Amino acid sequence: MKTNDILINSNRGSNKLAILGGSPVISNLMRPSAPPPYVDDKMVEAIVKTTKSGIWCRIQSATGTVATFEKEYANLIGTKHCVTTGAGTQALSACVEALGIGAGDEVITSPYSDIGTLSAVLFSRALPVFADLDRESFQLDPADVERRITENTKAIMPVHIAGNPANLEKIMAIARKHNIKVIEDACQAHLTEYQGKKLGTIGDIAGFSFQASKNIACGEGGAVVGNDTELMEKVYTVMNHGTSRKGKHELIGPKYRMNEFEGALLLSQLEGVHERHKRRNENCWYMRGKLRDFPGVVPQKLYEGTGSSSWWLFLNAYRKEHFNNVPRATFLKALSAEGVSAGGYIGSGFHKSEVIKNHILDLGVYKKMYSPARLNKYRDELPCPNCDDVCDELVLSLGVATAPGKEYLDKIYDAIIKVYENRDKLRSL
Ligand SMILES: Cc1ncc(COP(=O)(O)O)c(C=O)c1O
């Protein structure tokens, strides 16, 4: 589509920017409130039933809600095993611990994720090594991952950001070449498909989150999935404060158990999960289609083989050169005034976080576990300039996945184009 077509085809009412006193494209009345977690009567009944049953903890019943959900979730994702936890962070931490990764070892991961990704590595006192991002997909850049491998690298933890697949084909090839494990951080990626398989089935092991904002949710919860029976038994043992199914205290493990109320909530919402997944895909693919020929807002690059996705977020690259070079914050102000739910997502990469400074670089415990030479190299190689640009200027998250329908998505698009048409006025904001 050419710029002229965009001008002709748009339907944007008053063309004066709302932030300058015009009427917004999406009025407050039309705007849906932020989507709450999915709730239906079955879920409420399931909680009541569990409350009355007196079976509240997973160890009270081998056929309770948690054990049953584990079977169902493994089936849904397509792995032999599933072990639930109390959070996605705990799931990833159990993966690291079960793989025997600890002090002296290194895990390469993305600097652009929820803090749970980083916490999972830090808990085991392994060194979290950040590789930089691809600027179009916001996923780990495999070439930078390979550059950062050392003799102590034990795992790569790619994050499927926004629920879309990381470049797993390349990452898996690198991992196999260097004999390194892959822990998929699939915390945002329920039911996402890549090259005909579900995410969570491609690496050696994977972690999911069921925190309240996720597509499958129980407030706080998580799951590890995998096919390696021995490894998954270790995950169970770690999760169960180090005590194996045989009742022996065998490993270092915190208590990461999911409770039966969480199991009941999860189990009872599985029925409609495919329908909700389909709706998110319809919305997001429709919006990607609309934005296809508009160069100012470019949807997240997807790798070949990406199938249906969780679309936990709908991320785009904001191209300021098409908006009179105004910073993203100015564009966001104007777009939000038009009634669009939009933001920048993660404010800053892990490589800039205080915990790295306090515990690894300055006075922290990492000095007891890693040589001065390694920590000096770590400091020198910490910068991730692409991630900085992604955080500071590039990423634009739009409230698309749960939008109430195509008409509403058309309005989001119209609002973007309205701001574009008024780009000469943005500098004054
Ligand atoms: C990519 C990613 N990793 C890890 C986590 C941590 O999961 P949880 O919040 O359930 O501990 C999240 C949660 O949002 C996430 O999005």
Side-chain angles (χ1 to χ4, degrees), residues 280-319:
R280 296 180 86 91
N281 277 275
E282 280 164 6
N283 277 353
C284 293
W285 280 103
Y286 180 74
M287 197 64 184
R288 282 177 75 89
K290 286 206 74 111
L291 289 169
R292 188 167 40 229
D293 297 313
F294 176 61
V297 172
V298 181
Q300 179 183 13
K301 174 181 164 180
L302 302 178
Y303 291 106
E304 212 179 316
T306 300
S308 79
S309 166
S310 74
W311 292 110
W312 186 64
L313 291 175
F314 185 84
L315 300 185
N316 307 271
Y318 166 69
R319 302 275 178 217

Side-chain angles (χ1 to χ4, degrees), residues 158-190:
V159 177
H160 302 302
I161 205 73
N164 287 317
N167 193 344
L168 274 191
E169 187 170 322
K170 289 208 171 142
I171 289 171
M172 290 306 295
I174 291 165
R176 296 299 174 242
K177 181 170 137 197
H178 295 271
N179 198 19
I180 294 168
K181 299 290 183 194
V182 171
I183 304 168
E184 287 181 65
D185 181 341
C187 282
Q188 304 178 352
H190 314 80

Side-chain angles (χ1 to χ4, degrees), residues 87-89 92 113-114 116-117 159 185 187-188 209 211 214 221:
T89 306
L92 295 171
S113 182
D114 177 89
T117 309
V159 177
D185 181 341
C187 282
Q188 304 178 352
S209 165
Q211 179 268 340
K214 298 302 186 304

Side-chain angles (χ1 to χ4, degrees), residues 365-383:
V365 289
Y366 276 72
K367 285 209 161 155
K368 298 179 191 162
M369 303 181 292
Y370 296 83
S371 69
R374 179 63 187 104
L375 293 184
N376 283 337
K377 186 169 180 276
Y378 186 83
R379 182 192 303 271
D380 292 346
E381 293 177 354
L382 204 47

Side-chain angles (χ1 to χ4, degrees), residues 225-425:
V225 298
N227 288 318
D228 180 333
T229 304
E230 200 181 322
L231 178 60
M232 288 300 290
E233 277 307 300
K234 283 193 182 152
V235 169
Y236 179 91
T237 303
V238 170
M239 174 281 292
N240 194 34
H241 53 45
T243 306
S244 69
R245 288 189 207 266
K246 291 180 201 134
K248 298 226 164 80
H249 193 217
E250 293 172 15
L251 293 176
I252 297 173
K255 199 174 176 195
Y256 282 166
R257 286 183 201 150
M258 175 176 278
N259 69 48
E260 291 286 300
F261 297 99
E262 293 161 338
L265 268 187
L266 291 168
L267 202 51
S268 56
Q269 73 192 257
L270 284 186
E271 201 178 291
V273 89
H274 289 290
E275 184 51 41
R276 295 191 288 279
H277 179 77
K278 189 166 157 253
R279 172 88 178 273
R280 296 180 86 91
N281 277 275
E282 280 164 6
N283 277 353
C284 293
W285 280 103
Y286 180 74
M287 197 64 184
R288 282 177 75 89
K290 286 206 74 111
L291 289 169
R292 188 167 40 229
D293 297 313
F294 176 61
V297 172
V298 181
Q300 179 183 13
K301 174 181 164 180
L302 302 178
Y303 291 106
E304 212 179 316
T306 300
S308 79
S309 166
S310 74
W311 292 110
W312 186 64
L313 291 175
F314 185 84
L315 300 185
N316 307 271
Y318 166 69
R319 302 275 178 217
K320 67 176 174 191
E321 59 275 25
H322 298 284
F323 289 94
N324 210 9
N325 278 321
V326 297
R328 181 184 60 185
T330 310
F331 171 76
L332 276 173
K333 251 198 270 175
L335 191 64
S336 302
E338 298 299 336
V340 174
S341 159
Y345 193 33
I346 292 166
S348 139
F350 294 154
H351 56 295
K352 292 189 160 171
S353 67
E354 289 298 308
V355 69
I356 299 298
K357 192 169 164 321
N358 294 344
H359 286 279
I360 299 184
L361 297 179
D362 289 350
L363 299 167
V365 289
Y366 276 72
K367 285 209 161 155
K368 298 179 191 162
M369 303 181 292
Y370 296 83
S371 69
R374 179 63 187 104
L375 293 184
N376 283 337
K377 186 169 180 276
Y378 186 83
R379 182 192 303 271
D380 292 346
E381 293 177 354
L382 204 47
C384 292
N386 287 347
C387 178
D388 294 341
D389 288 349
V390 164
C391 292
D392 297 344
E393 278 300 333
L394 273 176
V395 155
L396 171 69
S397 175
L398 293 171
V400 163
T402 57
K406 288 194 174 141
E407 221 177 286
Y408 194 85
L409 296 171
D410 290 343
K411 296 250 175 238
I412 295 177
Y413 177 77
D414 285 347
I416 292 169
I417 300 304
K418 179 176 170 187
V419 176
Y420 169 75
E421 287 171 356
N422 284 281
R423 61 196 176 281
D424 56 324
K425 312 211 176 54

